[in-house]
Amino acid sequence: QLPVPQLIDEATSYMIKMKENVKYLKEKKKSLLGGEVPGKRSEGSSSLLPKLSIHSRDSIIEMNLIIDVSMKRLMLHELMRVFEEEGAQVMTASLQNLNDRTACTIIAQAVICRIGIDPSRIEKREGDREKGEGSSMSPREQRNLREKERRTRMKDLFIILSSHVSPTHRVFTSTSTYRSSDIIHDPIERKGEMGNYSERSSSLLPKLSIYSRDSTIEMNLIMDLNMKRVMLHELVSVFEEEGAQVMNANLQNLNDRMIIYTIVGQAIICRIGIDPSRIEER
């Protein structure tokens, strides 16, 4: 719906940005591999894996994880879930097989920039998750531990929310939630144009399309920002549970009106393949 000149301008800017991003990722890949020649890895280097590094800048956080292919298969949605539970919106997640190792990169942005993201919490949870795979804890104990951490995180967030809504005295959780909801929705209600747009677009969205070719499958989902927010890791988990290895997952906000999810996966066992109808149904 954009004018042609503006559309061309945005597309050109996007292509330039992506080229710069590719160059940056190639340099990062080279630095993460430590300049090693593929296929000539030393026998003792397996003891250095998994290798986890997390970098943050302003409200953006990036995680790089390298594991040996002989280790337990990496489930991308489990890594992404940690980010989203810690108040981050995953923008890009990619997985790449490099001979005898697998590299995963996740880039996320804080949902609330003022609160931000705590890199140390994500690093601790990801580290605990790697250790937990070989621990003696039962699945029930691991679920209880995750639930305890989630409740602690929610309590901290409500304290921060309460301080913004009522700085003079502490407000109960339910009250602070309702007050913050009013603060957020009041300016929106004043904008009739946004309301008219949501009415027009609600009849068209969400829009789901799935394409498959050989052992590769791609999903595109377009939703209105006013709809209930979908966690990217939930979409990725459907692919992985249906026997696909997700190679790339992206989220993009378009003109502050629509949100686009793109997921590209590949069948783990090419002979069996993936059933697009099952993914579409789920």
Side-chain angles (χ1 to χ4, degrees), residues 220-255:
N220 293 285
L221 173 63
I222 304 176
M223 296 186 65
D224 194 290
L225 278 173
N226 296 323
M227 295 178 178
K228 185 181 178 182
R229 183 164 160 258
V230 177
M231 295 294 200
L232 189 58
H233 82 267
E234 294 173 343
L235 300 176
V236 171
S237 67
V238 173
F239 274 71
E240 294 182 331
E241 288 169 5
E242 290 298 327
Q245 185 178 47
V246 174
M247 310 307 295
N248 208 336
N250 292 300
L251 182 150
Q252 186 179 7
N253 292 323
L254 207 61
N255 299 329

Side-chain angles (χ1 to χ4, degrees), residues 182-194:
D182 293 338
I183 291 170
I184 292 169
H185 284 94
D186 280 346
I188 296 175
E189 289 173 357
R190 297 193 198 104
K191 297 181 180 180
E193 184 181 352
M194 183 62 73

